[in-house]
Amino acid sequence: MIATDALDFRLLNEFQRGFPLVSQPWAALGEHLHCSATEVMARLVSLRDAGKISRVGPVFAPNRIGASTLAAMAVPESALPQVAMRVSAFPGVNHNYRREHRYNLWFVANACDEIALERLLHDMGAATGCPAIALPLLEEYHIDLGFDLSNGRRTRHTVGPVQRQALTRSEWGLIDRLQDGLPWVARPFQAVGDAAGLGEGRVLATLSRWLADGMLRRFGVVVRHRELGWRANAMCVWQVPEDQVSAFGHALAAQDGVSLCYRRRTAPDWPYNLFCMIHGQGREAVEARRAALADQIGLGAFPSAVLFSTDCYKQCGARYQAPLERAA
């Protein structure tokens, strides 16, 4: 963890979830931290400007609204910077990384539905000359990057069946107004509600409901781990028989140090179906944790690969756009 003072660290670490959904949240944070609302806002703005947080706002659970997929391209090394820039320019891309593999460009793509998502990936392939493989989520075991910045421990959450939400036009408007996070004003939920044509009370009630029903994974400070000292991360994948993958996935997801864990669809030249992400403050720590987990859970017998992230081309919250025919 890169050095910050005690108050900054508490803002970064304690409010990745459990952010107060009240009329004056900065004042509520200040009361908790024994400082003023003005200082809370000033510190969060400073942390944002330093690149240590991206926003204070919602993190939506995958595939509850719209459609999304992890995708990858095998890009010639000489063309990688240009291709990465073109992929990142698509508004439907919210994460884009270089990883150590023949498939060296990995990104998350979002669209209003599966048809639009397929079109988006086709357009990316046409624009870059590099067709993408789509590896959509099939089963979630643990997805939450809001882990403890001092020791890597994380909050477990109950995983239920994915149920895509049918949203009203006003709810889509609320999502649109929150995609860049809360505004830095004393009553941010009132400002968001006014912009979306809703009252403050309805905004707070809607966010509370979305948290309760699982559409929102969390609401709070969204940190940038690399800028806070967690400089190494690896996507670790295994080829597990389909009748065993769920058992191994749940066992893997139960371990500290695993920030993401899920089953994804395979592709003709991508046989791996069990994925997890491991973050660490150095490559050696990630490699050691991965080896220990594989040995502990019994994954060593299966074909596997470790894809370290080496460059981050784009990292922001997912952008959601209402399907016009559903936004009534």
Side-chain angles (χ1 to χ4, degrees), residues 39 41 50 53 75 81 99 110 112-113 118 133 138 141 160 210 212 226 230 233 245 250 270 274 282 289 320:
E39 182 171 4
M41 280 194 286
I53 69 173
V75 183
R99 296 193 178 277
N110 300 271
C112 60
D113 54 33
E118 183 177 357
I133 58 169
L138 297 180
Y141 310 118
W210 286 349
R226 186 183 295 266
W230 294 80
N233 72 79
V245 65
H250 286 294
W270 180 264
L274 178 59
R289 186 61 181 146
Y320 298 101

Side-chain angles (χ1 to χ4, degrees), residues 297-319:
I297 295 168
L299 287 166
F302 302 117
S304 63
V306 180
L307 289 75
F308 275 92
S309 171
T310 59
D311 296 278
C312 175
Y313 300 113
K314 186 177 185 180
Q315 182 182 0
C316 65
R319 312 297 297 188

Side-chain angles (χ1 to χ4, degrees), residues 2-297:
I2 290 176
T4 60
D5 71 19
L7 187 54
D8 276 355
F9 181 78
R10 292 189 67 187
L11 282 168
L12 290 165
N13 203 42
E14 295 180 20
F15 298 103
Q16 297 180 66
R17 66 185 74 253
F19 186 85
L21 297 179
V22 297
S23 179
Q24 298 188 56
W26 317 120
L29 290 181
E31 182 177 355
H32 184 83
L33 297 169
H34 307 292
C35 65
S36 69
T38 300
E39 182 171 4
V40 167
M41 280 194 286
R43 283 176 175 264
L44 287 170
V45 169
S46 178
L47 289 166
R48 182 204 60 188
D49 292 345
K52 295 180 180 179
I53 69 173
S54 65
R55 66 193 184 282
V56 177
V59 176
F60 288 92
N63 292 321
R64 265 61 170 190
I65 54 175
S68 67
T69 188
L70 179 66
M73 291 177 173
V75 183
E77 287 295 322
S78 61
L80 188 57
Q82 293 77 21
V83 171
M85 182 173 64
R86 298 204 72 174
V87 168
S88 293
F90 284 86
V93 172
N94 62 293
H95 287 77
N96 190 15
Y97 295 91
R98 178 180 184 175
R99 296 193 178 277
E100 296 173 343
H101 191 269
R102 183 177 74 83
Y103 280 106
N104 52 0
L105 191 66
W106 290 80
F107 54 93
V108 177
N110 300 271
C112 60
D113 54 33
E114 282 79 4
I115 294 173
L117 182 60
E118 183 177 357
R119 186 184 312 118
L120 173 63
L121 294 175
H122 176 270
D123 291 346
M124 289 180 184
T128 62
C130 299
I133 58 169
L135 306 170
L137 179 72
L138 297 180
E139 189 175 7
E140 173 186 341
Y141 310 118
H142 176 78
I143 300 180
D144 195 339
L145 285 168
F147 58 80
D148 191 307
L149 297 170
S150 62
N151 55 32
R153 295 195 180 112
R154 74 275 159 83
T155 298
R156 291 301 308 278
H157 53 81
T158 301
V159 177
V162 173
Q163 295 183 341
R164 189 161 297 166
Q165 299 280 354
L167 301 176
T168 65
R169 183 180 298 276
S170 60
E171 287 173 334
W172 277 111
L174 176 58
I175 290 170
D176 182 62
R177 295 297 176 175
L178 285 171
Q179 291 189 109
D180 292 322
L182 292 178
W184 306 105
V185 297
R187 297 182 65 173
F189 296 111
Q190 181 183 61
V192 168
D194 289 346
L198 302 169
E200 179 184 69
R202 188 173 172 192
V203 169
L204 292 169
T206 300
L207 293 175
S208 296
R209 173 167 53 84
W210 286 349
L211 280 168
D213 67 20
M215 187 171 121
L216 275 183
R217 182 55 36 84
R218 56 191 171 94
F219 192 105
V221 178
V222 182
V223 306
R224 295 185 183 276
H225 295 96
R226 186 183 295 266
E227 287 73 11
L228 291 169
W230 294 80
R231 297 192 176 280
N233 72 79
M235 186 175 74
C236 307
V237 296
W238 290 267
Q239 182 182 353
V240 180
E242 289 295 328
D243 62 347
Q244 300 178 47
V245 65
S246 290
F248 279 106
H250 286 294
L252 185 59
Q255 307 303 312
D256 279 333
V258 175
S259 52
L260 306 174
C261 188
Y262 35 64
R263 177 166 67 100
R264 290 190 175 275
R265 193 176 72 193
T266 60
D269 57 349
W270 180 264
Y272 307 108
N273 55 355
L274 178 59
F275 290 63
C276 84
M277 286 294 303
I278 300 175
H279 288 73
Q281 297 184 7
R283 187 182 182 110
E284 296 79 10
V286 172
E287 290 173 336
R289 186 61 181 146
R290 186 262 180 204
L293 289 170
D295 182 64
Q296 177 181 344
I297 295 168

